[in-house]
Amino acid sequence: MYRTHNCGELRISEVGINVTLSGWVAKTRLLGSMAFVDIRDRYGITQLAFNEETNNEMLSKAENLGREFVIQVEGRVSERSSKNQNIGTGEIEIIVSNLIILNESKTPPFTIETETDGGDDLRMQYRYLDLRRDVVRKNLELRHRLAQLVRNYLSGESFLEVETPVLIKSTPEGARDFVVPSRLNPGSWYALPQSPQTFKQLLMVSGFDRYFQIVKCFRDEDLRADRQPEFTQIDCEMSFVDQEDVLNLFEGMMRHLFKEIKGIELPEFPRMTYADAMKFYGNDKPDTRFGMKFVALKGEDIDVVSGKGFGVFDSVDSVVSIKVPGGATYTRKQIDALVDWVKRPQVGASGLIWVKKDDQGNLKSSVDKFYSADDLKMWDNALELNNGDMGLLMAGAYGKVHKQMSELRLHIGAELGLRKPDEFSPLWVVNFPLLEFDEDQNRYHAMHHPFTSPLKEHRDLLMSNPADVNANAYDMVINGVEIGGGSIRIHDQDLQAKMFELLGFSEEEAKAQFGFLMNAFQYGAPPHGGIALGFDRLCSLMGGSESIRDFIAFPKNNSGRDIMIDAPAPLTKDQLEDLELN
Amino acid sequence: MYRTHNCGELRISEVGINVTLSGWVAKTRLLGSMAFVDIRDRYGITQLAFNEETNNEMLSKAENLGREFVIQVEGRVSERSSKNQNIGTGEIEIIVSNLIILNESKTPPFTIETETDGGDDLRMQYRYLDLRRDVVRKNLELRHRLAQLVRNYLSGESFLEVETPVLIKSTPEGARDFVVPSRLNPGSWYALPQSPQTFKQLLMVSGFDRYFQIVKCFRDEDLRADRQPEFTQIDCEMSFVDQEDVLNLFEGMMRHLFKEIKGIELPEFPRMTYADAMKFYGNDKPDTRFGMKFVALKGEDIDVVSGKGFGVFDSVDSVVSIKVPGGATYTRKQIDALVDWVKRPQVGASGLIWVKKDDQGNLKSSVDKFYSADDLKMWDNALELNNGDMGLLMAGAYGKVHKQMSELRLHIGAELGLRKPDEFSPLWVVNFPLLEFDEDQNRYHAMHHPFTSPLKEHRDLLMSNPADVNANAYDMVINGVEIGGGSIRIHDQDLQAKMFELLGFSEEEAKAQFGFLMNAFQYGAPPHGGIALGFDRLCSLMGGSESIRDFIAFPKNNSGRDIMIDAPAPLTKDQLEDLELN
């Protein structure tokens, strides 16, 4: 038997008993006639004591231990003279009577500590050592806990976990599929699923009523930072539901997860329309931990900036502003830095106008030569500045300037410390547009996917004004992060056919790609809808990190490579011949 | 809201309340002035009552309902006059006040009943309708429950669920990999994992201590009946364990599952060596629900058949026998049928000798002209026949005749009703050979896999007598079905290198394929071992079916095709060009 206890569980109450521990050498302190060795495993660290007087042989063995050696020790639990209150085992140590080296270790290429000296690439190459670090392992322990909580919650809500196939059929619509040649059917290929969308809808046709799965999905995209070619989804679908049923259930689940994992009672999730999210935050996933909502100074219902000779404001269709609380103290240098920031190509704004209200309530702006005190008063009426605040204004086309202002808002929110990592502000964004127009291809794309139903009250617009049709689609957003999204699906075969037509599918194409689903809809499809939550993203949100990679055991790098195992790699000639690909 | 209750939950205590139900039309009985409609969902069936007097409009609507229409009804719960005690809702019915048709249905291609009129192919093509059948859905409900029980059990035992990657590197050793071309790295390929073996071992190097995952695995094999190209494993690994630790833990899990799912207390799992399994059952996964163990009449330690002029027995190295309880009553015709059965090419035996003991204890055999009563007495001493029993003998080379006798034993066991589907006889088969010799390639293969450790006491034989080395490997067998297997792994880099050498890997090959694992072993690999259980197989065993396909939502056929979605299929020209495979 390798151990009677793990390295994290011995306490003062166990003093006097004989134990066996196994683990890794975390630290060695040699003091001549004595030595102390910290032995570490997943559960904790225990101090081992060696003493010339009691056991000289063991002491000299201990002196030869290297970092990360795997050892097994027998000994007696003893009370420590100098206690360490920072760790659970800090009141005891083991007086070692026997020490066995189970395996030696070369000196690791970086230190196995919370603050390591290893760079990103080195740690990815030796991921198995990186995972040995407490801070990394804890991320994966969180992931483990979340997965169990999600499954138990959904099981308790009568969801059935069903495994959908991984080797499926390619559907060229949307993102690129990873594909797999079929040796038994030469010239034919499987595809890896981008999501189990059609299968979960089929399960609803099958009467499964409530389905879930924590499932790997695959997308062969040109990788950006923090995108992974394989990622994990909490995938769900429900029958006989409308939008509120889905929203309430998954709001309940999320509240449960935050309670269990973080001890936080989340507030009720407000519903915000897509239109409002764009209007007030310039963003379909607004970070609502802080205010600074957009205020229009020139737009559909207001214009308090035109006709004063300031050409920039005269010529655009939108001038939008935000209020920076306490911003009147911003120096010229600080403001110049903001102007530079928004002019970077990543944001692409042409400039930034400010208006400050000092402690006496006097208004001053960077365009005072165009705007009188009375003019500025009109701005202030809209912006509702308090004494000491600053307003920032940007001008441009509606969509573009809202996007730019969103970047600025998030930037300033971060600068002011308003985006607190330990605060969580969830909401549902609803009423997304059904379609978006692709200028390049001169056709509509489904904003969510082709199975999303239009709002009932917009159904008549479908053929006449497709761009105006909103969908029964929703996103769950927390702290400006899109945690998931879903929709109520089309369950009517005629409407589904119409939708494919609108998206430019010929009848043959629709049949070839989704014929099985359209067939299924002929045999009593129930009303249904669902959601998919990004599990990697949820883990990183709850773990307080920006990077999903920190929550994946063996992630790939930005070129889609696993540099630890050196994949992908060439195949052998035999393999290619088997596949008739030579 | 589509429903206030599901179709399986209303009881006599709800009489008088108004409810809304949604579901499928399972059955319609039209009786002129009245009609009864059974509405079905996943949870049950509820009877709907329509009556000319109370609501003539609804009655005529009901009369036009077709099978599998999706409907929503409102009505009052009422006590039935003629109760149905077979179903939970059998004491009530709904007096319908409103009926909405949510979706129509074409007549399904087969009946949605436990006993359906649909053939296999048709049901696979319309799998979404097949899944609507109670009996099929219940299989997947069992699978759901098993998955949750397994995860909760293992989580409770401190196992961490870790997702290992699906896009990995091909290792040409062993079965064929499915492979995935990398668009971003032209000429390079990913492979889909046949198992997460190396990753779980790396997790042990990482100090994760206990790992599990219910995970899809992939094998591009020529398909046999009931093999699937993608299948699911309960994959586990533990550190600081020896064989007994692993066996006890998973025996405990299996006992828990049988208790929870079937209410059965499994007995302790006996351990049987591979050598004994082959000797007494001719099979490394013996069905131990019944006896009929092999008795050697000619072999290493015994020969009670040679030298009597019966050439067949004289010329072979093995004569093996089984005792058929009560078999003395077998007729000539029955025995001839057995002889024909063993002579079929699937078994390939040359013949079958019998010896019967009648009610008076007299012995008689089919080779009486060669063997005297005293000779037969010697057979009987070994076989220990009771009055009324029959012994069956087969002769040949040890391995071959044991395999043939195993087939016969299972056949007769089934004929005699000894392989009861509601009885479960588990065991561990242990001490497998480490290697098997491949005559074609004139080299050794790892019987389990190259990471399996030899028994400590056999380690010295590794280079001198590799064929004699047994492994720290074990299989869990229940009712003659291999539910899973595993081993204690090699954690020593020198031994692992020696093992690769023995298996004919050059140093370069070993490094190219498993370099990352061998590297990892340099940095403090703990002793570790694990197991992988076939989840599809476990479901089918517990569900009382021989076919794993019944427990997979969307299985593939024997050519690896999903005939419902018509996959695999050709790619488009654009897709092939993207992959530079044109």
Side-chain angles (χ1 to χ4, degrees):
Chain A
M1 198 207 301
Y2 284 102
R3 60 188 174 194
T4 56
H5 296 75
N6 65 47
C7 297
E9 64 178 318
L10 290 169
R11 296 288 180 276
I12 194 89
S13 53
E14 270 98 14
V15 163
I17 70 169
N18 287 310
V19 299
T20 306
L21 299 183
S22 287
W24 286 263
V25 172
K27 208 190 287 180
T28 312
R29 271 158 301 151
L30 306 178
L31 309 170
S33 63
M34 298 166 67
F36 294 101
V37 173
D38 281 351
I39 183 173
R40 184 196 62 226
D41 66 10
R42 184 183 120 198
Y43 312 95
I45 284 181
T46 300
Q47 178 167 297
L48 309 175
F50 298 84
N51 195 311
E52 193 179 44
E53 277 172 40
T54 52
N55 199 327
N56 196 27
E57 185 198 342
M58 287 304 129
L59 176 64
S60 46
K61 253 189 161 175
E63 284 168 348
N64 289 313
L65 289 175
R67 264 205 291 145
E68 303 304 322
F69 275 36
V70 186
I71 59 171
Q72 179 182 2
V73 295
E74 289 168 61
R76 196 167 38 74
V77 182
S78 168
E79 185 169 358
R80 272 204 219 178
S81 49
S82 76
K83 298 195 169 55
N84 177 352
Q85 302 298 350
N86 296 324
I87 59 171
T89 61
E91 298 195 294
I92 58 98
E93 62 190 8
I94 311 295
I95 311 294
V96 176
S97 54
N98 195 20
L99 166 65
I100 301 168
I101 294 174
L102 296 172
N103 218 340
E104 302 196 344
S105 173
K106 278 174 45 175
T107 303
F110 49 85
T111 55
I112 312 291
E113 309 271 350
T114 300
E115 301 294 333
T116 179
D117 55 359
D120 265 9
D121 283 352
L122 196 64
R123 287 189 292 111
M124 289 307 292
Q125 193 188 336
Y126 293 89
R127 181 64 168 174
Y128 44 87
L129 296 179
D130 198 29
L131 289 170
R132 210 181 272 173
R133 294 165 59 223
D134 244 37
V135 60
V136 182
R137 199 199 56 242
K138 278 193 164 57
N139 287 343
L140 290 156
E141 287 177 345
L142 170 69
R143 187 180 179 110
H144 161 80
R145 279 194 64 203
L146 265 174
Q148 313 314 315
L149 284 169
V150 165
R151 291 207 200 82
N152 286 331
Y153 187 87
L154 292 174
S155 297
E157 294 284 345
S158 300
F159 283 75
L160 293 176
E161 182 182 8
V162 180
E163 292 172 63
T164 51
V166 176
L167 296 171
I168 65 166
K169 185 171 164 173
S170 184
T171 51
E173 173 75 353
R176 262 189 221 90
D177 287 325
F178 281 106
V179 293
V180 180
S182 166
R183 186 179 51 86
L184 295 175
N185 306 272
S188 285
W189 299 67
Y190 301 100
L192 306 183
Q194 297 183 29
S195 92
Q197 182 63 32
T198 48
F199 289 97
K200 66 177 177 175
Q201 293 195 243
L202 289 177
L203 287 171
M204 295 303 103
V205 175
S206 299
F208 272 52
D209 207 71
R210 293 180 163 203
Y211 143 90
F212 84 98
Q213 193 181 189
I214 300 186
V215 61
K216 275 275 173 75
C217 300
F218 306 86
R219 221 167 274 179
D220 184 13
E221 287 177 299
D222 297 327
L223 297 165
R224 291 186 261 145
D226 219 29
R227 275 274 179 88
Q228 290 283 320
E230 52 179 298
F231 54 98
T232 305
Q233 241 173 236
I234 305 173
D235 194 50
C236 305
E237 196 77 5
M238 306 166 76
S239 289
F240 301 116
V241 289
D242 53 31
Q243 180 168 306
E244 275 302 304
D245 296 320
V246 181
L247 266 45
N248 287 329
L249 197 135
F250 288 94
E251 187 173 326
M253 181 179 90
M254 205 52 63
R255 201 174 282 127
H256 174 72
L257 298 179
F258 271 86
K259 186 81 199 298
E260 291 291 321
I261 297 275
K262 304 194 75 77
I264 291 176
E265 295 274 3
L266 281 190
E268 269 193 33
F269 292 23
R271 275 72 164 148
M272 187 186 294
T273 64
Y274 172 84
D276 277 355
M278 296 312 283
K279 182 175 173 188
F280 295 119
Y281 299 94
N283 199 320
D284 62 0
K285 37 181 195 283
D287 185 343
T288 51
R289 276 175 297 184
F290 64 107
M292 293 173 56
K293 283 166 75 169
F294 294 6
V295 176
L297 298 184
K298 177 174 180 177
E300 242 179 30
D301 313 316
I302 189 170
D303 185 353
V304 293
V305 295
S306 297
K308 303 294 176 177
F310 185 47
V312 176
F313 283 1
D314 287 347
S315 63
V316 298
D317 70 3
S318 279
V319 175
V320 67
S321 63
I322 54 173
K323 175 169 71 178
V324 183
T329 60
Y330 270 55
T331 62
R332 176 64 180 263
K333 205 175 150 194
Q334 281 176 299
I335 291 176
D336 283 350
L338 289 180
V339 174
D340 288 346
W341 194 86
V342 298
K343 282 184 168 175
R344 293 178 318 141
Q346 295 93 319
V347 181
S350 51
L352 192 60
I353 304 301
W354 56 261
V355 54
K356 290 178 175 180
K357 192 175 195 174
D358 69 17
D359 287 347
Q360 279 70 48
N362 302 312
L363 294 164
K364 188 171 163 33
S365 95
S366 52
V367 285
D368 278 349
K369 62 176 157 178
F370 300 107
Y371 295 94
S372 67
D374 281 351
D375 293 338
L376 294 182
K377 186 74 200 130
M378 309 249 304
W379 297 11
D380 186 23
N381 286 343
L383 262 165
E384 299 181 346
L385 298 172
N386 293 312
N387 288 355
D389 288 350
M390 170 172 67
L392 292 174
L393 287 66
M394 289 169 89
Y398 183 91
K400 205 167 154 191
V401 73
H402 273 67
K403 203 168 171 314
Q404 292 163 346
M405 187 57 105
S406 169
E407 299 284 340
L408 179 63
R409 173 181 175 272
L410 292 171
H411 177 67
I412 295 179
E415 275 197 343
L416 296 178
L418 301 173
R419 303 176 67 183
K420 299 190 178 128
D422 53 348
E423 253 178 37
F424 295 91
S425 177
L427 75 155
W428 290 105
V429 178
V430 299
N431 289 13
F432 278 82
L434 183 67
L435 303 164
E436 49 190 355
F437 195 74
D438 184 328
E439 307 276 350
D440 292 347
Q441 298 187 36
N442 193 33
R443 47 166 280 208
Y444 284 106
H445 279 298
M447 191 151 178
H448 193 57
H449 56 52
F451 314 110
T452 300
S453 69
L455 290 183
K456 215 174 234 168
E457 57 271 32
H458 286 189
R459 240 178 104 159
D460 291 341
L461 296 173
L462 208 50
M463 283 311 183
S464 57
N465 292 65
D468 291 344
V469 176
N470 283 356
N472 265 316
Y474 32 82
D475 275 359
M476 181 192 284
V477 175
I478 304 182
N479 292 3
V481 177
E482 181 197 323
I483 293 299
S487 64
I488 299 298
R489 325 299 182 187
I490 297 168
H491 67 278
D492 173 67
Q493 46 176 321
D494 295 334
L495 182 57
Q496 186 64 66
K498 204 182 276 184
M499 189 70 184
F500 282 132
E501 190 192 327
L502 209 54
L503 296 172
F505 283 75
S506 72
E507 214 166 305
E508 290 71 40
E509 284 168 336
K511 209 177 153 185
Q513 288 186 41
F514 301 110
F516 58 98
L517 188 68
M518 292 170 80
N519 277 341
F521 278 7
Q522 301 185 317
Y523 293 99
H528 61 288
I531 197 167
L533 305 170
F535 188 54
D536 307 300
R537 182 64 62 203
L538 178 65
C539 292
S540 78
L541 175 82
M542 297 192 74
S545 162
E546 303 259 304
S547 165
I548 63 170
R549 206 177 289 178
D550 295 344
F551 295 80
I552 296 173
F554 300 102
K556 297 193 171 47
N557 73 9
N558 284 344
S559 335
R561 294 196 68 80
D562 182 328
I563 60 174
M564 179 188 72
I565 63 171
D566 193 25
L571 297 183
T572 65
K573 212 164 148 277
D574 284 355
Q575 285 179 301
L576 290 171
E577 269 167 19
D578 271 354
L579 297 170
E580 304 189 11
L581 286 171
N582 246 355
Chain B
M1 200 206 301
Y2 284 102
R3 61 188 174 194
T4 56
H5 295 75
N6 65 47
C7 297
E9 63 179 318
L10 290 169
R11 296 287 181 274
I12 194 87
S13 54
E14 271 97 15
V15 163
I17 69 169
N18 287 309
V19 298
T20 305
L21 299 183
S22 288
W24 285 263
V25 172
K27 207 191 285 180
T28 313
R29 271 159 300 150
L30 307 178
L31 308 170
S33 62
M34 299 166 68
F36 294 101
V37 173
D38 281 351
I39 183 173
R40 183 197 64 226
D41 66 11
R42 184 184 119 199
Y43 312 96
I45 284 181
T46 300
Q47 177 166 298
L48 308 176
F50 298 84
N51 194 310
E52 193 178 44
E53 276 172 42
T54 52
N55 199 327
N56 196 28
E57 186 198 340
M58 286 304 129
L59 176 65
S60 45
K61 254 189 162 176
E63 285 169 348
N64 289 315
L65 290 175
R67 265 205 290 146
E68 302 303 324
F69 275 36
V70 186
I71 59 171
Q72 178 181 2
V73 295
E74 290 168 60
R76 195 167 37 75
V77 182
S78 168
E79 184 169 0
R80 272 204 219 179
S81 49
S82 76
K83 300 195 167 58
N84 176 352
Q85 303 298 350
N86 297 323
I87 58 172
T89 62
E91 298 195 293
I92 59 97
E93 63 190 7
I94 312 293
I95 311 295
V96 175
S97 54
N98 195 20
L99 166 66
I100 300 168
I101 295 174
L102 295 172
N103 218 339
E104 302 196 347
S105 173
K106 278 173 46 175
T107 304
F110 49 85
T111 55
I112 312 291
E113 310 271 350
T114 301
E115 301 293 335
T116 179
D117 54 358
D120 266 9
D121 283 352
L122 196 63
R123 288 190 292 111
M124 290 307 292
Q125 192 188 337
Y126 293 89
R127 182 63 168 173
Y128 45 86
L129 295 179
D130 198 28
L131 288 171
R132 209 181 275 173
R133 294 165 58 222
D134 243 39
V135 60
V136 182
R137 200 200 53 242
K138 280 193 163 55
N139 288 343
L140 290 156
E141 288 177 344
L142 170 69
R143 187 180 178 110
H144 160 80
R145 279 193 65 203
L146 265 173
Q148 312 316 314
L149 284 168
V150 165
R151 291 207 199 84
N152 286 330
Y153 187 88
L154 292 174
S155 296
E157 294 284 345
S158 299
F159 284 75
L160 293 176
E161 182 183 8
V162 180
E163 292 172 63
T164 52
V166 177
L167 296 171
I168 64 166
K169 185 171 164 173
S170 184
T171 51
E173 173 77 353
R176 260 189 222 91
D177 288 325
F178 281 107
V179 292
V180 180
S182 166
R183 186 178 52 85
L184 296 176
N185 306 273
S188 283
W189 300 68
Y190 301 100
L192 306 183
Q194 297 183 29
S195 93
Q197 182 64 32
T198 48
F199 289 96
K200 67 178 176 175
Q201 292 196 244
L202 289 177
L203 287 172
M204 296 303 103
V205 176
S206 300
F208 272 52
D209 207 71
R210 293 181 163 203
Y211 142 90
F212 84 97
Q213 192 181 189
I214 299 186
V215 62
K216 274 276 172 76
C217 299
F218 306 87
R219 221 166 275 177
D220 184 13
E221 286 177 300
D222 296 328
L223 297 165
R224 290 186 261 144
D226 220 29
R227 275 274 180 89
Q228 290 282 320
E230 51 179 297
F231 55 97
T232 305
Q233 241 173 235
I234 306 173
D235 193 51
C236 305
E237 197 77 4
M238 306 166 76
S239 288
F240 301 116
V241 289
D242 54 30
Q243 180 169 306
E244 274 302 304
D245 295 321
V246 180
L247 266 45
N248 287 329
L249 197 135
F250 288 93
E251 186 172 327
M253 180 179 91
M254 204 52 63
R255 201 175 283 126
H256 175 71
L257 298 179
F258 271 86
K259 186 79 199 299
E260 291 291 321
I261 297 275
K262 305 193 74 76
I264 291 175
E265 296 274 4
L266 281 190
E268 269 192 33
F269 293 21
R271 274 73 164 147
M272 187 185 294
T273 64
Y274 173 84
D276 277 355
M278 297 312 284
K279 182 175 173 187
F280 294 119
Y281 299 94
N283 199 320
D284 61 0
K285 39 180 193 284
D287 185 345
T288 50
R289 277 175 297 184
F290 64 106
M292 293 173 54
K293 284 166 77 168
F294 295 4
V295 176
L297 298 185
K298 177 174 181 177
E300 242 179 31
D301 313 317
I302 189 172
D303 185 353
V304 292
V305 295
S306 296
K308 302 294 177 180
F310 185 47
V312 176
F313 283 3
D314 287 348
S315 64
V316 298
D317 71 2
S318 279
V319 175
V320 68
S321 63
I322 54 172
K323 174 170 73 177
V324 182
T329 60
Y330 271 56
T331 62
R332 176 63 182 264
K333 205 174 149 194
Q334 281 177 298
I335 292 176
D336 283 350
L338 288 181
V339 173
D340 288 346
W341 194 86
V342 298
K343 283 184 167 174
R344 292 177 319 140
Q346 295 94 317
V347 182
S350 52
L352 192 59
I353 304 301
W354 56 261
V355 53
K356 290 178 175 179
K357 191 175 196 174
D358 69 16
D359 287 345
Q360 277 72 48
N362 302 313
L363 294 164
K364 190 172 163 28
S365 96
S366 52
V367 285
D368 277 350
K369 61 176 159 181
F370 300 106
Y371 296 95
S372 67
D374 281 352
D375 293 338
L376 293 183
K377 187 76 200 126
M378 308 245 307
W379 297 11
D380 186 24
N381 285 345
L383 261 165
E384 299 181 346
L385 298 173
N386 292 315
N387 289 355
D389 289 349
M390 169 172 68
L392 292 174
L393 287 65
M394 291 169 90
Y398 183 90
K400 205 169 154 190
V401 73
H402 273 66
K403 204 170 169 316
Q404 292 164 346
M405 187 57 105
S406 169
E407 298 285 339
L408 179 64
R409 173 180 174 273
L410 291 171
H411 177 66
I412 294 178
E415 275 197 344
L416 296 179
L418 301 174
R419 304 176 69 183
K420 298 190 179 129
D422 52 348
E423 253 178 38
F424 295 91
S425 178
L427 76 155
W428 290 104
V429 178
V430 297
N431 289 14
F432 279 81
L434 182 67
L435 303 164
E436 50 190 354
F437 195 74
D438 183 329
E439 306 277 352
D440 292 347
Q441 298 187 37
N442 193 33
R443 47 168 279 208
Y444 284 105
H445 278 296
M447 192 152 177
H448 194 55
H449 55 52
F451 314 109
T452 299
S453 68
L455 290 184
K456 218 174 231 167
E457 57 271 32
H458 285 189
R459 241 179 104 158
D460 291 341
L461 297 173
L462 208 50
M463 283 313 185
S464 56
N465 292 65
D468 291 345
V469 175
N470 283 355
N472 265 315
Y474 32 82
D475 275 358
M476 181 191 284
V477 175
I478 304 182
N479 293 4
V481 177
E482 182 197 323
I483 293 298
S487 64
I488 300 298
R489 325 298 182 187
I490 298 168
H491 66 278
D492 174 68
Q493 46 177 320
D494 295 334
L495 182 57
Q496 186 65 65
K498 205 183 275 183
M499 189 69 184
F500 282 132
E501 189 192 329
L502 208 54
L503 295 172
F505 283 75
S506 73
E507 214 166 304
E508 290 70 40
E509 285 168 337
K511 209 177 154 185
Q513 288 186 41
F514 301 110
F516 58 99
L517 189 67
M518 293 170 81
N519 276 342
F521 278 6
Q522 301 185 318
Y523 293 98
H528 61 288
I531 196 167
L533 305 170
F535 189 53
D536 308 299
R537 182 64 62 204
L538 177 64
C539 292
S540 78
L541 175 82
M542 297 192 77
S545 162
E546 304 259 303
S547 164
I548 63 170
R549 206 176 290 178
D550 296 345
F551 294 80
I552 296 173
F554 300 102
K556 297 193 171 47
N557 73 9
N558 284 344
S559 333
R561 295 197 67 80
D562 183 327
I563 58 173
M564 179 187 72
I565 64 171
D566 193 26
L571 297 182
T572 65
K573 211 162 149 279
D574 285 354
Q575 286 180 300
L576 290 171
E577 269 167 18
D578 272 354
L579 297 169
E580 303 189 12
L581 286 170
N582 246 356

